[in-house]
Amino acid sequence: MERCGFFDANLVGEEYDRVYLSQHFAAYFASFIGNGVFAGKSNELQVMALSTPQMKVSVLGGQGYINGYWYENTDNLILNIDNADGVLNRIDSVVLRLGYAERDMWLAVKKGAPAVTPTAPGVTRSADF
């Protein structure tokens, strides 16, 4: 099958002669932009802890891509961190989520498990994330 794009659609009768879906654009972008943070600047989407005892982090502005879908944070975004265990250490990760069902992308905190020797939580991949 041959494909090409993207061209303006012309109204023919009551229907357009070309219809493109978001997955077509995402597949195009995914062919040359990999998953991750778009590093136009060294601090794109940089995560910074706020002063204690706030249990919050600030994520600086920046762009990221997942499977050709684009995300942009234009300002500092504050994310809440759950309270610590009190005895055991924990590593949380700030991740970019792609939700096909929600048709959205967002930053989220992925909570790690408290442990004597904690490890960062693994990346979640499912039909929707």
Side-chain angles (χ1 to χ4, degrees):
M1 169 198 291
E2 293 182 309
R3 282 196 248 188
C4 63
F6 298 97
F7 301 96
D8 292 339
N10 293 318
L11 189 59
V12 178
E14 295 183 19
E15 295 185 17
Y16 285 98
D17 64 344
R18 301 199 188 299
V19 176
Y20 300 111
L21 302 174
S22 65
Q23 67 191 29
H24 297 131
F25 287 97
Y28 166 72
F29 287 118
S31 71
F32 60 90
I33 300 175
N35 290 346
V37 174
F38 183 74
K41 300 175 190 164
S42 63
N43 63 352
E44 297 267 334
L45 297 179
Q46 181 178 357
V47 179
M48 301 173 61
L50 297 179
S51 61
T52 56
Q54 291 190 35
M55 296 303 295
K56 296 179 183 201
V57 295
S58 175
V59 183
L60 300 181
Q63 297 181 31
Y65 289 86
I66 299 176
N67 298 338
Y69 289 89
W70 164 73
Y71 169 84
E72 182 177 29
N73 176 31
T74 60
D75 203 356
N76 289 352
L77 178 67
I78 306 299
L79 298 173
N80 294 318
I81 305 294
D82 286 350
N83 288 331
D85 178 76
V87 175
L88 299 173
N89 293 322
R90 182 184 80 222
I91 298 174
D92 294 345
S93 296
V94 174
V95 298
L96 181 60
R97 296 261 192 212
L98 165 62
Y100 291 108
E102 294 87 350
R103 296 178 298 141
D104 199 4
M105 293 177 75
W106 62 95
L107 289 171
V109 175
K110 188 165 185 188
K111 186 177 175 180
V116 173
T117 307
T119 59
V123 175
T124 300
R125 290 199 168 101
S126 68
D128 190 44
F129 286 134

